[in-house]
Amino acid sequence: MENTYRYKVKVEKNRKTGKSKKDAVKKKKTGNTDTRDHILVADDDMVFWEIIRNMLEPQFRVSFVKSGTEVISFLQKEIPSLILLDLNMPDKSGLEVLQEIMAHRKWRDIPVLFITAENDSEMESKGFEAGALDFIIKPLDKNTLVQRVRRNIKIHQVQQKLQADLKEQTRKAKERQMQVERLSMQIMEALADTIDAKDEYTNGHSIRVAEYSREIARRLDMSPKKQKDFYYMGLLHDIGKIGIPDEIISKKAQLSDEEYKIIKSHPVIGGDILKNISEIPGIETGARWHHEKYDGTGYPDGLKGEEIPLAARVIGVADAYDAMASKRSYRDVLPQKVVREEIAKGSGTQFDPVIVEKMLEMIDEDKEYRLREMDV
């Protein structure tokens, strides 16, 4: 669908080339075969339209509207990949438009990013509560804008795929429950393998962490269902890395402060991807909080002690064990004795002491240091 502004520009160009208005209309009616992600920009400043268009094209297909009413009219005809929504428009505020979008079943999943010239923390808080995914402050930086748009579209696509897969599995479960459970496991394991493949040194990492987490849960006398849930959470604990550039994940040299900051964003990205998967309640727990520390010095939320969900405390220990017991780009596998000492040293500071006790039991039973080579 062409918006009014872009259509007028096309008509003017046609006059210069001698083509009739009828030809332009006919071209419009043939439909758009552009396969690029489609961005809807809602802003009443037509000069700003050109700035945005120059920043986002040719990576994206971009359409423009100048009011909240036009946003709603647009969505009734076409669903874009993402909406860039100005907070201040003539007829409705961006917040009011977002509330209308969120109230509509077919629109509520569209990623919405606010654009504003004001750095207003109260309005930002209200926007996030209403369902906005990000705030972009004017004046815009091209690289930052493109990265945020691309990242939010990618997260949305992954989230939609996971949700669709799980809904399909639930439908099939009524007829062939056991087959669906196996399919669910295979999908998540395949997804975990895809994430691990971003770094040659993490091959099998997610599945090993899942296995260690399930075994710790068993030693904590948890139910078989809980053990399985911990396995699933362990499988997907690093899913947020799908939003991190490959060149940062696989970098062998020391990361810069900015690169390390980007790496540290993967728990939040992972939590956002998984939080709306209702078929496995709490599956986002491991992804969001596996880097929290028992003494409160971890990230992203600085949770402390039992504020950290149990699954995340378990996955945190399992993740640390596998990181030390696996080869990395900057070092070889650490000796089992060193790994044990580091896990024990972290008790009460980095790790939950009760979970450390269970992990140490597993290490002590592993006389030949074969746990790290678990065939999963």
Side-chain angles (χ1 to χ4, degrees), residues 40-56:
L40 174 63
V41 180
D43 195 292
D44 61 335
D45 184 349
M46 295 177 68
V47 174
F48 183 67
W49 288 8
E50 285 303 297
I51 295 173
I52 286 284
R53 184 173 61 80
N54 290 332
M55 287 183 173
L56 294 183

Side-chain angles (χ1 to χ4, degrees), residues 30-66:
T30 60
N32 197 318
T33 59
D34 195 331
T35 59
R36 293 173 296 171
D37 289 315
H38 188 187
I39 312 302
L40 174 63
V41 180
D43 195 292
D44 61 335
D45 184 349
M46 295 177 68
V47 174
F48 183 67
W49 288 8
E50 285 303 297
I51 295 173
I52 286 284
R53 184 173 61 80
N54 290 332
M55 287 183 173
L56 294 183
E57 292 183 344
Q59 295 98 322
F60 306 97
R61 180 161 64 98
V62 188
S63 295
F64 299 87
V65 295
K66 60 180 179 293

Side-chain angles (χ1 to χ4, degrees), residues 14-139:
N14 286 337
R15 287 174 184 158
K16 292 179 181 179
T17 59
K19 293 181 180 180
S20 68
K21 182 176 179 181
K22 182 178 180 181
D23 291 333
V25 172
K26 183 177 180 180
K27 182 176 180 180
K28 182 184 176 186
K29 288 183 178 179
T30 60
N32 197 318
T33 59
D34 195 331
T35 59
R36 293 173 296 171
D37 289 315
H38 188 187
I39 312 302
L40 174 63
V41 180
D43 195 292
D44 61 335
D45 184 349
M46 295 177 68
V47 174
F48 183 67
W49 288 8
E50 285 303 297
I51 295 173
I52 286 284
R53 184 173 61 80
N54 290 332
M55 287 183 173
L56 294 183
E57 292 183 344
Q59 295 98 322
F60 306 97
R61 180 161 64 98
V62 188
S63 295
F64 299 87
V65 295
K66 60 180 179 293
S67 70
T69 301
E70 290 184 16
V71 171
I72 302 305
S73 296
F74 185 101
L75 295 180
Q76 289 170 345
K77 300 175 183 177
E78 184 172 357
I79 304 297
S81 305
L82 180 142
I83 300 174
L84 291 174
L85 183 60
D86 187 21
L87 267 175
N88 299 306
M89 288 185 290
D91 57 345
K92 300 178 183 179
S93 71
L95 194 59
E96 290 173 324
V97 176
L98 177 59
Q99 289 168 343
E100 284 191 56
I101 292 172
M102 290 299 161
H104 195 289
R105 182 176 58 84
K106 291 185 178 180
W107 304 342
R108 65 180 59 149
D109 291 331
I110 304 171
V112 177
L113 280 59
F114 273 132
I115 301 176
T116 178
E118 302 174 9
N119 194 351
D120 186 335
S121 59
E122 183 179 352
M123 181 58 69
E124 186 172 333
S125 177
K126 289 181 179 179
F128 283 130
E129 287 177 7
L133 296 183
D134 207 347
F135 269 73
I136 302 177
I137 309 297
K138 298 178 183 178

